[in-house]
Amino acid sequence: EIVLTQSPEFQSVTPKEKVTITCRASQDIGSSLHWYQQRPGQSPKLLIKFASQSFSGAPSRFSGSGSGTDFTLTIDSLEVEDAATYYCDQSISFPRTFGQGTKVEIK
Amino acid sequence: EVELVQSGGGLVKPGGSLRLSCKASGFNFGSYFMTWVRQAPGEGLEWVSSISAYSTHLYYADSVRGRFTVSRDNSDNSLSLQMNSLRVEDTATYYCVRDFSGYEPYDSWGQGTLVTVS
């Protein structure tokens, strides 16, 4: 089973600040890494697919990078509506696994 | 517009059974893998089970294998999860999720349905 480790687990950020969340895989997963946003009380939504491809409808301030075992989700200029928990997910093999999540709070 | 509408769920005693359903619309259901993902209260996301487009491949998390059964009816655009021998630790919100091939991102999610085992 591939283990995904996200850091940090919690981040308190001021609006307009830049946010960086990392996801480390326990083995090489190429670019088969995706990022989701889950606002409180809502279903998760796909933001970034295959490490760096923006998903339709995701705001342009969200971007992803990385390959192999180390990946990054970046939020340029955080907005109040970005308060949420962010998860990474790998799709290279079953069982599918998620990172433990990173909660982003607005200061 | 892609839509996944879930039903079922509720309160059940340990050892009991429950069936979750998911009705799909807005896309060619029979061409997609479908998946169940769950989230225990206050916790993260956990993959539960996936089924290929023609039901030829079924996948289960170790935590539910032998107790849960995933199935689909492409003629009715519906996905189901039969949950037997439920345990307290199965308490979670269950999401029906679309995934093109089993190796793609989860690009559409249902609204979620809460299962409480107590």
Side-chain angles (χ1 to χ4, degrees):
Chain A
E1 173 176 318
I2 295 172
V3 177
L4 299 179
T5 304
Q6 288 183 232
S7 62
E9 293 191 6
F10 177 83
Q11 201 163 7
S12 184
V13 187
T14 302
K16 298 188 180 180
E17 251 188 276
K18 182 177 180 178
V19 175
T20 301
I21 299 169
T22 65
C23 178
R24 176 163 288 176
S26 59
Q27 62 190 75
D28 190 337
I29 59 172
S31 296
S32 297
L33 190 283
H34 320 293
W35 291 98
Y36 304 86
Q37 176 194 65
Q38 185 179 32
R39 294 188 176 116
Q42 296 187 13
S43 302
K45 293 180 181 178
L46 177 64
L47 287 174
I48 302 291
K49 58 180 183 176
F50 296 108
S52 62
Q53 299 175 23
S54 294
F55 183 63
S56 174
S60 59
R61 61 184 177 276
F62 291 92
S63 63
S65 64
S67 67
T69 60
D70 293 299
F71 301 87
T72 299
L73 173 70
T74 301
I75 311 174
D76 286 321
S77 193
L78 186 80
E79 298 194 6
V80 172
E81 65 188 34
D82 299 334
T85 301
Y86 294 84
Y87 296 93
C88 56
D89 148 58
Q90 63 80 19
S91 63
I92 201 168
S93 67
F94 284 92
R96 292 283 290 261
T97 48
F98 292 90
Q100 78 275 28
T102 296
K103 185 174 183 178
V104 174
E105 174 193 87
I106 307 298
K107 276 185 184 174
Chain B
E1 179 191 0
V2 173
E3 203 169 12
L4 299 170
V5 178
Q6 300 180 225
S7 60
L11 176 63
V12 62
K13 295 185 188 305
S17 298
L18 212 54
R19 188 177 184 89
L20 305 183
S21 298
C22 174
K23 184 79 169 179
S25 62
F27 66 101
N28 185 0
F29 180 75
S31 295
Y32 283 78
F33 254 71
M34 294 298 294
T35 288
W36 291 96
V37 172
R38 70 183 180 183
Q39 185 171 39
E43 301 295 321
L45 301 171
E46 179 189 16
W47 170 79
V48 174
S49 179
S50 295
I51 182 169
S52 62
Y54 296 104
S55 306
T56 50
H57 296 89
L58 308 180
Y59 302 88
Y60 297 96
D62 288 346
S63 57
V64 307
R65 186 176 290 112
R67 301 186 298 120
F68 289 13
T69 302
V70 63
S71 61
R72 65 191 294 162
D73 181 349
N74 289 347
S75 68
D76 189 43
N77 291 347
S78 63
L79 173 73
S80 296
L81 185 68
Q82 177 66 41
M83 304 184 294
N84 298 330
S85 302
L86 281 161
R87 305 168 179 167
V88 171
E89 55 264 35
D90 294 319
T91 295
T93 294
Y94 286 72
Y95 294 100
C96 163
V97 182
R98 187 181 84 160
D99 160 21
F100 183 68
S101 69
Y103 298 93
E104 305 273 330
Y106 299 132
D107 63 358
S108 293
W109 295 65
Q111 83 275 21
T113 187
L114 178 62
V115 172
T116 303
V117 185
S118 177

